[in-house]
């Protein structure tokens, strides 16, 4: 609108507005890329410059033809500045939370992990020494240890089979039935507190969604049939 008027002084003031707005946006992008704590101040400074330039345009009688456009520009710039203020504050708070809270916890976990690894290594060394001594003392003790190990493996296999394989197999069977349209099937392991329980509850949600979809479809069909019956009655009356 300003360029259409051809007023040099008004063009210069409009260019000042445009430059300040572009600098504010550039400062915004730089902050989003770097999270520099000085970024919000830079954005505010350039927004203030843009507002001052808009004020100068408002006072310039030669720019009377565009005065009606300035309130919308100011409102948009105010909204932009307010949105950036909220976003930048949240970003800086997130950085502070990460640096002052999360990073120290990570470092603490790392220290605890290193200490646990040292303890584990020492335990492994002692275990190896004890095992070598046991092997050298008697083959009977070795046989006993092997037997215990076999029992442990069998027990673990049983636990895995009962706790993971069987529930997953049951879940697979339920999902196949649901895929085939059988919504009367019961979902197992709904009360489990582990990942299997989460899977079961997800499948239950899927099942309920299918039931609700069927119910809605039936209601729509019934409503359509009712409409058709009413239409038929009307046509018979006619």
């Amino acid at each position: 609108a300003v360029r259409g008027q051809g007023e040099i002084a008004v063009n210069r003031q409009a260019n000042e507005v445009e430059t300040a707005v572009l600098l504010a946006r550039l400062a915004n992008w730089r902050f989003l890329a770097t999270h520099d704590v000085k970024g919000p101040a830079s954005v505010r400074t350039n927004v203030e410059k843009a507002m001052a330039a808009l004020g100068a345009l408002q006072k310039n009688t030669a720019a009377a033809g565009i005065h009606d456009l300035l309130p919308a520009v100011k409102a948009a710039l105010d909204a932009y500045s307010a949105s950036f203020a909220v976003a930048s504050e949240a970003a800086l708070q997130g950085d502070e939370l990460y640096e002052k809270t999360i990073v120290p916890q990570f470092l603490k976990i790392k220290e605890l992990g290193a200490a646990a690894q040292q303890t584990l290594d020492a335990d492994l060394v002692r275990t190896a020494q004890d095992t070598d001594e046991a092997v050298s003392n008697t083959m009977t003790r070795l046989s006993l240890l092997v037997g215990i190990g076999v029992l442990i493996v069998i027990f673990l296999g049983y636990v895995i089979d009962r706790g993971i394989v069987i529930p997953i197999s049951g879940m697979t069977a339920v999902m196949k039935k649901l895929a085939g349209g059988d919504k009367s099937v019961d979902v197992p392991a709904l009360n489990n507190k582990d990942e299997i329980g989460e899977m079961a509850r997800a499948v239950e949600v899927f099942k309920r969604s299918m039931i609700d979809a069927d119910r809605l479809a039936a209601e729509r069909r019934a409503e359509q049939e009712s409409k058709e019956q009413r239409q038929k009655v009307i046509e018979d009356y006619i």
Side-chain angles (χ1 to χ4, degrees), residues 5-98:
Q5 291 184 353
E7 293 288 342
I8 296 177
V10 177
N11 268 286
R12 184 175 61 254
Q13 290 177 327
N15 287 334
E16 290 176 359
V17 175
E18 186 175 26
T19 300
V21 170
L22 289 175
L23 289 174
R25 295 177 65 189
L26 181 61
N28 180 5
W29 297 332
R30 183 182 296 113
F31 172 78
L32 293 177
T34 64
H35 284 199
D36 185 1
V37 294
K38 297 180 181 179
S42 178
V43 173
R44 284 194 301 270
T45 298
N46 287 290
V47 169
E48 291 170 358
K49 289 180 180 179
M51 287 296 188
L54 285 170
L57 270 176
Q58 186 71 49
K59 295 176 182 178
N60 192 340
T61 56
I66 64 164
H67 283 175
D68 291 341
L69 302 177
L70 298 182
V73 177
K74 289 181 179 180
L77 192 56
D78 282 335
Y80 181 86
S81 178
S83 297
F84 172 77
V86 174
S88 60
E89 182 180 0
L92 292 176
Q93 288 178 350
D95 291 344
E96 183 178 4
L97 177 64
Y98 178 78

Side-chain angles (χ1 to χ4, degrees), residues 122-178:
D123 290 342
L124 289 175
V125 171
R126 287 194 298 269
T127 301
Q129 292 174 348
D130 294 342
T131 303
D132 291 340
E133 182 180 357
V135 170
S136 63
N137 288 337
T138 174
M139 291 299 295
T140 304
R141 184 175 299 176
L142 176 61
S143 300
L144 179 61
L145 291 175
V146 171
I148 293 175
V150 171
L151 292 176
I152 291 175
V153 170
I154 294 173
F155 176 74
L156 290 176
Y158 174 79
V159 170
I160 292 174
D161 183 66
R162 295 289 297 177
I164 298 178
V165 176
I166 292 178
I168 289 180
S169 297
M171 204 74 62
T172 302
V174 169
M175 293 176 70
K176 287 181 178 179
K177 291 182 179 180
L178 287 175

Side-chain angles (χ1 to χ4, degrees), residues 5 112 138 192 214:
Q5 291 184 353
L112 293 174
T138 174
N192 286 18
D214 288 347

